[in-house]
Amino acid sequence: MVALKGVIAVAVSLVALIILILTFPKSNGKAFPEQEPSLTTGFPTWHSKLKNFNFEKKYAAIGFAFTFESLGGILAIKWAYNKKQPRQVISYFYNGVTATITTSVFNHLIALYTIFTALAGLATLLFDIGKLWETFGVFHNLWEVAVLLLLQQGGKINNISRYILTLGIYIFSVHFIVVFLNWPLDATFFKFQGLIFDFALAIVFPIIYISTRKHVREEAETHIPLDNQNDPQEHQEDELKPYIIDHPKQLLLLVVASLVHVFGNLANTAFASSATADIIFHASYAISFSLYPLYVFLDTHGASVLPHKRIYLPEPPVWKIALIFIWSTFLSLSTIRFLVAAPEERA
């Protein structure tokens, strides 16, 4: 019965996606205006001239985001790669049966995700967003794919060769497709594929938080909370270790970061000719990529009052994975559809 429900859910979702594709408006050639040249390189960018545009405000917004991304990335790398962690602060992915996989690799990927987003931010400052920028910007999406693949495998890399090969195929495919496509297909394709992974994270992280919160509540009913003074020597060595947190509320940082990131991209896509939307877009990066490093800090420094700090990550059936991908694609395509259908307020 469960398998049948899964098949029906996937079938209905595919029908919805097909209908969306079939009703996609045809561009009349005027949907995408002339590209604005980059101030630094003179190359065409992936945006037109913005309304009420002020270069100083734009670069202030980009610089502000880059500052938070770079500082957050450096700190996240420091925290994630610190191997001297007390036993109490180590988190484990729990599949409902065993909890032997630590969140170490996940934290590493979040840290890399942040630092490579800072690299893309620096490229925005230097080149503006366009084909040249894509050679750096694609790495932002690469680490989103890496995180999703890791979570799909239960928080561990089952086959490192296959994992790296998949990421390699992704990044080379996206890059060369963008290189060979002309405006506006290059920008549209890059935005489309990037939004798929933005939406996927905004779906997966809330699911993880909700399932973990449910599991923790059940676990709390059968365990006596830890005494947070049970290891005074470790407190004397470093007052930040262990820091008692209200597990799993730290996961809300992942949820909020992913949702803010999606909001910023939606604003930038739906109102691409708006200078205000452009500032909102960069501000969303400053917020999201401050929250991601903060999550890494809490996960590597915080201990739960419960005996174990577990993140519930059950092995999902294939049909649920398919649903997440289909609806992420649907939401991304819907955003692009709005762009094409409403060129005067387009992304």
Side-chain angles (χ1 to χ4, degrees), residues 191 195 198-199 202 256-271 276-277 279-285 287-288 335:
K191 175 65 74 173
L195 281 172
D198 292 339
F199 279 117
V256 175
S258 62
L259 292 175
V260 170
H261 185 47
V262 165
F263 175 77
N265 274 280
L266 289 178
N268 177 255
T269 305
F271 305 100
T276 301
I279 292 175
I280 291 174
F281 170 72
H282 294 296
S284 71
Y285 272 71
I287 295 171
S288 293
T335 306

Side-chain angles (χ1 to χ4, degrees), residues 25 70 119 147 159 182 218 238 267 293 311:
S70 55
L119 178 64
V147 169
N159 187 317
N182 295 320
E218 294 173 352
D238 187 344
I311 296 176

Side-chain angles (χ1 to χ4, degrees), residues 151-265:
L151 295 176
Q152 186 272 325
Q153 297 178 65
K156 65 178 179 179
I157 300 175
N158 296 321
N159 187 317
I160 186 65
S161 299
R162 185 182 301 172
Y163 185 79
I164 294 175
L165 178 63
T166 302
L167 295 178
I169 291 174
Y170 164 77
I171 196 168
F172 277 92
S173 298
V174 171
H175 175 68
F176 284 107
I177 288 173
V178 169
V179 166
F180 285 106
L181 288 177
N182 295 320
W183 170 263
L185 294 179
D186 52 355
T188 304
F189 169 76
F190 188 83
K191 175 65 74 173
F192 166 68
Q193 63 85 30
L195 281 172
I196 291 176
F197 305 117
D198 292 339
F199 279 117
L201 287 178
I203 293 172
V204 170
F205 284 153
I207 290 174
I208 293 175
Y209 168 70
I210 292 171
S211 59
T212 301
R213 184 181 63 177
K214 179 181 178 182
H215 169 72
V216 167
R217 286 178 176 175
E218 294 173 352
E219 185 181 30
E221 294 175 357
T222 58
H223 290 85
I224 299 175
L226 292 175
D227 179 359
N228 59 12
Q229 302 297 325
N230 64 342
D231 198 346
Q233 184 176 355
E234 287 187 347
H235 283 277
Q236 293 171 4
E237 294 177 355
D238 187 344
E239 62 181 5
L240 294 177
K241 295 184 178 183
Y243 178 77
I244 302 302
I245 61 174
D246 190 5
H247 178 70
K249 287 186 178 179
Q250 78 277 9
L251 293 175
L252 285 173
L253 293 171
L254 298 177
V255 176
V256 175
S258 62
L259 292 175
V260 170
H261 185 47
V262 165
F263 175 77
N265 274 280

Side-chain angles (χ1 to χ4, degrees), residues 75 78-79 82 84-90 228 231-245 294 296-304 309:
L75 289 173
K78 176 179 180 294
W79 295 327
N82 177 23
K84 297 180 180 180
Q85 296 179 5
R87 177 181 54 81
Q88 299 99 313
V89 306
I90 299 176
N228 59 12
D231 198 346
Q233 184 176 355
E234 287 187 347
H235 283 277
Q236 293 171 4
E237 294 177 355
D238 187 344
E239 62 181 5
L240 294 177
K241 295 184 178 183
Y243 178 77
I244 302 302
I245 61 174
L294 180 57
V296 174
F297 171 78
L298 292 178
D299 193 63
T300 55
H301 290 72
S304 173
K309 197 171 62 169

Side-chain angles (χ1 to χ4, degrees), residues 123-144:
T124 305
L125 276 171
L126 297 176
F127 312 127
D128 207 337
I129 296 178
K131 272 192 193 294
L132 181 58
W133 168 87
E134 179 274 338
T135 60
F136 300 90
V138 69
F139 284 93
H140 164 77
N141 295 140
L142 175 71
W143 295 110
E144 292 177 330

